[in-house]
Amino acid sequence: DIVMTQSPLSLPVTPGEPASISCRSSQSLLHSNGKNYLDWYLQKPGQSPQLLIYLGSNRASGVPDRFSGSGSGRVFTLRISRVGAEDVGVYYCMQSLQTPSITFGQGTRLEIK
Amino acid sequence: EVQLVESGGGLVQPGGSLRLSCAASGFTFSTYWMHWVRQTAGKGLVWVSRIDDDGGSTTYADSVKGRFTISRDNAKNTLYLQMNSLRAEDTAVYYCVRAQKSSRWTLGSWGQGTLVTVSS
């Protein structure tokens, strides 16, 4: 299985400041079709996960444009341009290149300073 | 608005069975792949199973293969997960998830989850 490793595991951020989370995979997630099979999810406290970014850099419907995804191959980044209180939660990356063995990162907990 | 409402979770003894249901609304259920994903504090998020839009194709994680069966009733807009020979390590919150149309392994919309506890 492809192993997904996120860093940092804990991320305290001052409101209004930017934040970034890194996700590294044990194998390249770049398909021959040119797409990177890497998604980002956010699980807010007491809620189920929600899709933020799919195929590396595409924002899901309704996701604010302060969220952006970048990267290719084995290294990916989720950036939040200005963190707000509503962004608190655990962020997960997930690979879907190697199906059906899709795998998640261990999660990064974002908190407000 | 997409709504996915799971039910059927609860406490069951090791070796027992449970059937989870997921009632879908707010979209054309019969045109979407559906998945089950589970979450534990120890192992985090783990994909369990998926089914294609007409139920003709299914796939399972190795950890549940031969014990769990995913199915759907498109006339009732409902997804199921039949869980047999349950083990303590199956204890988790189980989420029903609708796939994205554009990327069928992208987990687009999640239900609120139902807790399954396997314990004597």
Side-chain angles (χ1 to χ4, degrees), chain A residues 37 39 41 43 47-51 54-55 92 94 96 99-100 102 104, chain B residues 37 39 45-47 59-60 95 100 102-103 105-108 110-112:
Chain A
Y37 284 78
D39 304 326
Y41 300 86
Q43 185 169 29
Q47 297 185 19
S48 52
Q50 61 186 86
L51 176 66
Y54 63 97
L55 296 176
Y92 297 94
M94 185 202 86
S96 58
T99 62
I102 62 175
F104 294 85
Chain B
V37 176
Q39 184 173 32
L45 291 164
V46 176
W47 174 83
T59 316
Y60 301 90
Y95 294 102
Q100 289 279 81
S102 56
S103 174
W105 290 90
T106 290
L107 308 172
W110 299 58
Q112 86 288 350

Coordinates of all heavy atoms in Angstrom, one line a residue, chain A residues 37 39 41 43 47-51 54-55 92 94 96 99-100 102 104, chain B residues 37 39 45-47 59-60 95 100 102-103 105-108 110-112:
Chain A
Y37 N -3.5 11.8 -8.3 CA -4.6 11.3 -7.5 C -4.4 11.5 -6.0 O -4.2 10.6 -5.2 CB -4.8 9.8 -7.9 CG -5.5 9.7 -9.3 CD1 -4.7 9.9 -10.4 CD2 -6.9 9.5 -9.4 CE1 -5.3 9.9 -11.7 CE2 -7.5 9.5 -10.6 CZ -6.7 9.7 -11.8 OH -7.3 9.7 -13.0
D39 N -6.2 13.8 -2.8 CA -7.3 14.7 -2.3 C -7.0 15.2 -0.9 O -6.3 14.5 -0.2 CB -8.6 13.9 -2.3 CG -9.0 13.3 -3.6 OD1 -8.7 13.9 -4.7 OD2 -9.6 12.2 -3.6
Y41 N -9.0 16.5 2.7 CA -10.3 16.5 3.4 C -10.1 17.3 4.8 O -9.0 17.3 5.3 CB -10.8 15.1 3.7 CG -11.0 14.3 2.5 CD1 -10.0 13.6 1.9 CD2 -12.3 14.2 1.9 CE1 -10.2 12.9 0.7 CE2 -12.5 13.5 0.7 CZ -11.5 12.8 0.2 OH -11.7 12.1 -1.0
Q43 N -11.9 17.5 8.6 CA -12.9 17.0 9.6 C -12.9 18.1 10.7 O -12.0 18.1 11.5 CB -12.5 15.7 10.1 CG -13.6 15.1 11.0 CD -13.4 13.6 11.3 OE1 -12.2 13.1 11.4 NE2 -14.5 12.9 11.5
Q47 N -17.8 16.7 13.5 CA -18.4 16.5 12.2 C -17.7 15.4 11.4 O -16.6 14.9 11.8 CB -18.3 17.8 11.4 CG -19.1 18.9 12.0 CD -19.1 20.2 11.1 OE1 -18.8 20.1 9.9 NE2 -19.4 21.3 11.7
S48 N -18.3 15.0 10.3 CA -17.7 14.0 9.4 C -16.8 14.7 8.5 O -16.8 16.0 8.3 CB -18.8 13.2 8.6 OG -19.7 14.1 8.0
P49 N -15.8 14.0 7.9 CA -14.9 14.7 6.9 C -15.7 15.3 5.7 O -16.8 14.9 5.4 CB -14.0 13.6 6.4 CG -14.1 12.5 7.5 CD -15.5 12.6 8.0
Q50 N -15.1 16.4 5.2 CA -15.6 17.0 4.0 C -14.5 17.2 3.0 O -13.3 17.5 3.3 CB -16.3 18.4 4.3 CG -15.3 19.4 5.0 CD -16.0 20.6 5.4 OE1 -16.5 20.7 6.5 NE2 -16.0 21.6 4.6
L51 N -14.8 17.1 1.7 CA -13.9 17.2 0.6 C -13.5 18.7 0.5 O -14.4 19.5 0.3 CB -14.4 16.6 -0.6 CG -13.6 16.8 -1.9 CD1 -12.3 16.0 -1.8 CD2 -14.4 16.4 -3.1
Y54 N -9.6 18.1 -4.7 CA -9.5 16.8 -5.4 C -8.5 16.9 -6.6 O -8.3 17.9 -7.1 CB -10.8 16.2 -5.8 CG -11.6 17.0 -6.8 CD1 -11.5 16.7 -8.2 CD2 -12.4 18.1 -6.5 CE1 -12.2 17.4 -9.1 CE2 -13.1 18.9 -7.4 CZ -13.0 18.5 -8.7 OH -13.7 19.2 -9.7
L55 N -7.9 15.7 -6.9 CA -7.0 15.6 -8.0 C -5.9 16.7 -7.8 O -5.5 17.3 -8.8 CB -7.6 15.7 -9.3 CG -8.6 14.5 -9.6 CD1 -9.3 14.7 -10.9 CD2 -7.9 13.2 -9.6
Y92 N -6.8 15.9 6.3 CA -6.2 14.6 5.9 C -5.9 14.7 4.4 O -6.8 15.3 3.6 CB -7.2 13.5 6.1 CG -7.6 13.2 7.5 CD1 -8.7 13.7 8.1 CD2 -6.8 12.2 8.2 CE1 -9.0 13.4 9.4 CE2 -7.2 11.9 9.5 CZ -8.3 12.5 10.1 OH -8.6 12.2 11.4
M94 N -5.3 12.1 1.0 CA -5.7 10.7 0.6 C -5.3 10.5 -0.8 O -5.4 11.3 -1.6 CB -7.2 10.6 0.7 CG -7.7 9.2 0.5 SD -9.4 9.1 0.0 CE -9.3 9.3 -1.8
S96 N -5.6 8.1 -4.2 CA -6.6 7.2 -4.9 C -6.0 6.7 -6.2 O -6.7 6.3 -7.1 CB -7.9 7.9 -5.1 OG -7.8 9.0 -5.9
T99 N -5.9 1.9 -6.5 CA -7.2 1.4 -6.0 C -7.2 -0.1 -6.1 O -6.6 -0.7 -7.0 CB -8.3 2.0 -6.9 OG1 -8.2 1.6 -8.2 CG2 -8.3 3.5 -6.8
P100 N -8.0 -0.8 -5.3 CA -8.8 -0.2 -4.3 C -8.1 0.1 -3.0 O -8.8 0.5 -2.0 CB -9.8 -1.4 -4.0 CG -9.0 -2.6 -4.2 CD -8.0 -2.3 -5.3
I102 N -7.0 2.6 -1.4 CA -6.8 4.0 -1.2 C -6.4 4.2 0.3 O -6.8 3.4 1.2 CB -8.0 4.8 -1.6 CG1 -9.2 4.4 -0.7 CG2 -8.3 4.7 -3.0 CD1 -10.5 5.3 -1.0
F104 N -5.1 7.0 3.5 CA -5.1 8.4 4.1 C -3.8 8.7 4.9 O -3.2 7.8 5.4 CB -6.3 8.5 5.1 CG -7.6 8.4 4.5 CD1 -8.2 7.2 4.2 CD2 -8.4 9.5 4.1 CE1 -9.5 7.1 3.7 CE2 -9.6 9.5 3.5 CZ -10.2 8.2 3.3
Chain B
V37 N -16.5 4.0 4.4 CA -15.2 4.4 5.0 C -15.4 4.3 6.6 O -16.5 4.7 7.1 CB -14.7 5.8 4.6 CG1 -13.4 6.1 5.4 CG2 -14.6 5.9 3.1
Q39 N -13.7 4.9 10.6 CA -12.8 5.7 11.4 C -12.6 5.3 12.8 O -13.7 5.1 13.5 CB -13.2 7.2 11.3 CG -12.2 8.1 12.0 CD -12.5 9.6 11.8 OE1 -13.7 10.0 11.7 NE2 -11.5 10.4 11.7
L45 N -8.7 7.1 9.3 CA -9.7 6.8 8.3 C -9.2 5.7 7.5 O -8.1 5.6 7.0 CB -9.8 8.1 7.4 CG -10.5 9.3 8.1 CD1 -10.3 10.5 7.3 CD2 -12.0 9.0 8.2
V46 N -10.1 4.7 7.2 CA -9.8 3.5 6.5 C -10.9 3.2 5.5 O -12.1 3.1 5.9 CB -9.6 2.3 7.4 CG1 -9.3 1.0 6.5 CG2 -8.4 2.5 8.3
W47 N -10.6 3.1 4.2 CA -11.6 2.8 3.2 C -12.0 1.3 3.4 O -11.2 0.5 3.6 CB -11.0 3.0 1.8 CG -11.9 2.6 0.7 CD1 -13.0 3.2 0.2 CD2 -11.9 1.3 0.1 NE1 -13.6 2.5 -0.8 CE2 -12.9 1.3 -0.9 CE3 -11.0 0.2 0.1 CZ2 -13.2 0.2 -1.7 CZ3 -11.3 -0.9 -0.7 CH2 -12.3 -0.9 -1.6
T59 N -16.0 -3.8 -4.6 CA -14.6 -4.0 -4.2 C -14.5 -3.8 -2.7 O -15.3 -3.0 -2.1 CB -13.7 -3.0 -4.9 OG1 -14.0 -2.8 -6.3 CG2 -12.2 -3.4 -4.8
Y60 N -13.6 -4.6 -2.1 CA -13.4 -4.5 -0.6 C -12.0 -4.4 -0.2 O -11.1 -4.8 -0.9 CB -14.0 -5.8 -0.1 CG -15.4 -6.1 -0.4 CD1 -15.8 -6.8 -1.5 CD2 -16.4 -5.6 0.5 CE1 -17.1 -7.0 -1.8 CE2 -17.8 -5.8 0.2 CZ -18.1 -6.5 -1.0 OH -19.4 -6.7 -1.3
Y95 N -18.9 5.5 7.9 CA -19.4 6.6 7.1 C -19.9 6.0 5.7 O -19.1 5.3 5.0 CB -18.4 7.7 6.8 CG -18.0 8.4 8.1 CD1 -16.8 8.2 8.7 CD2 -18.8 9.4 8.6 CE1 -16.3 8.9 9.8 CE2 -18.4 10.1 9.7 CZ -17.2 9.9 10.3 OH -16.8 10.6 11.4
Q100 N -17.3 11.4 -6.1 CA -17.4 12.5 -7.1 C -17.7 11.9 -8.5 O -17.3 10.8 -8.8 CB -16.1 13.2 -7.2 CG -15.7 14.1 -6.1 CD -16.4 15.4 -6.1 OE1 -17.6 15.5 -5.7 NE2 -15.7 16.5 -6.5
S102 N -16.6 13.1 -11.3 CA -15.5 13.3 -12.2 C -14.3 12.4 -11.7 O -13.4 12.1 -12.5 CB -15.0 14.8 -12.1 OG -14.8 15.2 -10.8
S103 N -14.3 12.0 -10.5 CA -13.2 11.1 -10.0 C -13.9 10.2 -9.0 O -14.1 10.5 -7.8 CB -12.2 12.0 -9.3 OG -11.2 11.2 -8.7
W105 N -13.1 7.7 -7.2 CA -12.5 7.3 -5.9 C -12.3 8.5 -5.0 O -11.8 8.4 -3.9 CB -11.2 6.6 -6.1 CG -11.4 5.3 -6.7 CD1 -11.5 4.9 -8.1 CD2 -11.6 4.0 -6.0 NE1 -11.7 3.6 -8.2 CE2 -11.8 3.0 -7.0 CE3 -11.7 3.7 -4.7 CZ2 -12.0 1.7 -6.6 CZ3 -11.9 2.4 -4.3 CH2 -12.1 1.4 -5.3
T106 N -12.7 9.7 -5.4 CA -12.8 10.9 -4.6 C -14.0 10.9 -3.8 O -15.1 10.7 -4.3 CB -12.6 12.2 -5.4 OG1 -11.3 12.3 -6.0 CG2 -12.9 13.4 -4.5
L107 N -13.9 11.1 -2.5 CA -15.0 10.9 -1.5 C -15.7 12.2 -1.4 O -15.4 13.0 -0.5 CB -14.5 10.3 -0.2 CG -13.6 9.1 -0.4 CD1 -13.0 8.6 0.9 CD2 -14.5 7.9 -1.0
G108 N -16.7 12.5 -2.2 CA -17.3 13.8 -2.3 C -18.2 14.3 -1.2 O -18.1 15.4 -0.8
W110 N -20.1 13.0 2.6 CA -20.1 12.1 3.7 C -21.4 12.2 4.5 O -21.9 13.3 4.8 CB -18.9 12.3 4.6 CG -17.6 12.2 3.9 CD1 -17.1 12.9 2.8 CD2 -16.5 11.3 4.3 NE1 -15.8 12.6 2.6 CE2 -15.4 11.6 3.4 CE3 -16.3 10.4 5.3 CZ2 -14.2 10.9 3.5 CZ3 -15.1 9.7 5.4 CH2 -14.1 10.0 4.5
G111 N -21.8 11.0 5.0 CA -22.9 11.0 6.0 C -22.3 11.4 7.4 O -21.1 11.6 7.5
Q112 N -23.2 11.3 8.4 CA -22.8 11.7 9.7 C -22.1 10.6 10.5 O -21.5 10.8 11.5 CB -24.0 12.2 10.5 CG -24.8 11.2 11.3 CD -25.7 10.4 10.3 OE1 -25.8 10.6 9.1 NE2 -26.3 9.3 10.9

